[in-house]
Amino acid sequence: SEGTKKMDIKFVVPASVEEVKSDGKPVLLVGRKQLLSKHWEAFLGQSEVVSATVSQLSGGDEGALTKAMVAVKGGVRCVAFGTLPESCSRHNCAARPHGVAKVVSECLASADEDWTVACLLEDEAHVGAVACAIGRALPLFSEKSQARNKPKRAAEVCFYVDPLERFVTKPSLDVRIEGVPLRLLSR
């Protein structure tokens, strides 16, 4: 095991869900089971494997990660579901940042390629908490001198708001993450 690796975080605003579906990179969908069940097909297209995987999702108490390989045009795509806990009483935050940090860290800390992370939110007000959780989940330093020669990897993170059925726009995103320390993220 190579351990954790450094990964840059880039907050993006895709033009559409279709853009995420067609980019070909591995994708991590993060959200409560209800939102994942409702929107996975828009982000990934039809798949019996994914349908069976989504039906079995459970966030538990801390959040849970489930990965699958899905056939796409020209090959296979890695798909991961970060299922957040249904209740938030233990940590008392509706954005469930403890679950977000756990599933993002599990999925991306040792990844060798760029990923797309689509956060399915119930409220646009959750963007700041989720952005901070993602920043905490990914390591700042790793492998010291060895890391200098390796190409940087990136996680392109987008925020999709369920009731509005749209991505968080750039001006709104800038305002929501303004207070996030720059050492945690690169925009």
Side-chain angles (χ1 to χ4, degrees):
S1 167
E2 293 181 347
T4 58
K5 300 174 183 179
K6 185 173 180 172
M7 180 174 274
D8 286 339
I9 304 167
K10 297 177 183 172
F11 293 100
V12 298
V13 182
S16 67
V17 173
E18 186 64 36
E19 183 179 328
V20 175
K21 183 174 19 177
S22 64
D23 78 1
K25 290 188 288 192
V27 63
L28 168 60
L29 296 178
V30 179
R32 290 181 50 224
K33 181 177 180 176
Q34 170 191 351
L35 296 177
L36 294 171
S37 297
K38 182 178 178 181
H39 296 291
W40 73 266
E41 200 167 337
F43 281 89
L44 304 172
Q46 294 181 342
S47 167
E48 289 180 27
V49 171
V50 176
S51 181
T53 301
V54 169
S55 70
Q56 301 298 316
L57 294 176
S58 171
D61 290 335
E62 297 291 320
L65 180 70
T66 305
K67 288 185 176 181
M69 298 302 282
V70 179
V72 294
K73 292 179 185 173
V76 179
R77 183 178 191 185
C78 183
V79 175
F81 294 96
T83 311
L84 301 179
E86 287 302 314
S87 68
C88 62
S89 60
R90 182 173 179 194
H91 296 280
N92 203 22
C93 181
R96 297 163 175 82
H98 63 288
V100 172
K102 179 184 182 286
V103 298
V104 169
S105 177
E106 278 183 37
C107 185
L108 303 182
S110 62
D112 289 325
E113 62 271 331
D114 294 349
W115 277 71
T116 297
V117 179
C119 300
L120 308 180
L121 307 177
E122 297 168 277
D123 189 337
E124 192 169 344
H126 297 170
V127 169
V130 173
C132 284
I134 292 170
R136 282 193 317 267
L138 299 174
L140 297 175
F141 303 103
S142 67
E143 301 178 35
K144 298 187 180 179
S145 62
Q146 296 169 339
R148 290 186 204 138
N149 299 328
K150 295 184 180 181
K152 284 190 175 184
R153 300 163 312 114
E156 288 190 348
V157 180
C158 57
F159 301 96
Y160 186 82
V161 183
D162 175 58
L164 305 175
E165 295 199 358
R166 66 166 175 80
F167 289 100
V168 175
T169 61
K170 186 73 172 136
S172 177
L173 182 59
D174 288 343
V175 168
R176 302 258 182 228
I177 64 173
E178 186 175 323
V180 179
L182 291 178
R183 67 177 183 78
L184 291 181
L185 26 114
S186 60
R187 297 194 278 174

